[in-house]
Amino acid sequence: MKALIIVDVQNDFCPGGALAVKEGDQVVLPINRLQEIFPLVVATQDWHPKDHGSFASQHPGKKPGDMMKLKGLDQILWPDHCVQATKGAEFVDTLKKKSIKKIFRKGIDRTIDSYSGFFDNGHRRSTGLGDYLKEKKVREVYVVGLATDYCVKATALDAAELGFRTHVIVDACRGVEVHAGDIQRAFDDLRQNGIQLHQSSEVLLNKTL
Ligand code: VGL
Ligand code: ZN
């Protein structure tokens, strides 16, 4: 069984959003097409309390992009984003939702950030995504969404570590690129960890999922 994992396709990561990713909205079209051919589709949703520790606003004198330690882990600080039950945290309107079988929310604990759809950044608490996929007999996952250099990368690396054959569909992802070259480095990292990179056109042509 193969699953499509849609990472954080939320308003705040799209143009006009609080943590806008360049061309973030352009992932929606390929992702909607891909959803049609996958037997299982799941999604992750960044879902922060309004006082989340990754928000620069919670740390006097800090601004987005600054670094600090959170639970002993290096943490880049972000603008307030994806606050629970706000418009910014909602999935993009044009994203098709009817095939999404289950949503895994992350970043709920204010004391730690959670880029991966599987675990928090300390690899302590699981979201249940790994067990869910194993229960569904999934052996292979395709990761798409936002942002390439944070949540897509972390989700794909954890999937590979959990033993799933892992793929990332390049044109169905966009990155934040806080520092120039971050997106390219993310793709290099993924490849070095045995994750295969594809274009959506290839995956769509090979409709044997
Ligand atoms: C993300 C930064 C902060 C992401 C989430 O979805 O990639 N990035 N929170
Ligand atoms: Zn976040």
Side-chain angles (χ1 to χ4, degrees), residues 8 13 19 46 48 78 81 106 113 115 146-147 150-152 176:
D8 299 0
F13 297 125
L19 209 175
D46 212 32
H48 296 307
W78 301 107
H81 65 279
K106 60 187 182 61
D113 212 352
Y115 295 144
L146 306 170
Y150 286 91
C151 293
V152 169
V176 195

Side-chain angles (χ1 to χ4, degrees), residues 47-59:
W47 194 250
H48 296 307
K50 63 180 184 314
D51 60 350
H52 195 263
S54 74
F55 297 169
S57 62
Q58 296 303 303
H59 308 282

Side-chain angles (χ1 to χ4, degrees), residues 160-174:
E161 201 178 306
L162 286 170
F164 297 101
R165 271 191 69 178
T166 306
H167 309 261
V168 169
I169 305 175
V170 173
D171 58 308
C173 300
R174 290 293 187 283

Side-chain angles (χ1 to χ4, degrees), residues 47-141:
W47 194 250
H48 296 307
K50 63 180 184 314
D51 60 350
H52 195 263
S54 74
F55 297 169
S57 62
Q58 296 303 303
H59 308 282
K62 297 279 191 192
K63 56 183 193 314
D66 289 350
M67 298 293 300
M68 65 176 291
K69 290 274 184 192
L70 214 56
K71 273 216 176 147
L73 301 171
D74 286 323
Q75 174 71 48
I76 182 167
L77 296 175
W78 301 107
D80 294 15
H81 65 279
C82 297
V83 173
Q84 296 170 8
T86 63
K87 187 73 190 167
E90 285 175 17
F91 291 128
V92 174
D93 280 337
T94 50
L95 180 73
K96 288 200 177 118
K97 298 161 188 95
K98 66 176 195 303
S99 319
I100 300 174
K101 286 284 168 356
K102 200 168 159 85
I103 295 164
F104 294 85
R105 289 177 166 165
K106 60 187 182 61
I108 296 167
D109 179 346
R110 61 173 298 283
T111 65
I112 192 163
D113 212 352
S114 188
Y115 295 144
S116 161
F118 291 93
F119 300 102
D120 63 42
N121 289 1
H123 262 241
R124 284 178 211 120
R125 193 139 55 164
S126 152
T127 60
L129 174 57
D131 287 341
Y132 177 84
L133 295 174
K134 286 189 174 158
E135 207 171 278
K136 300 277 185 203
K137 306 276 184 268
V138 171
R139 297 276 144 75
E140 204 157 343
V141 299

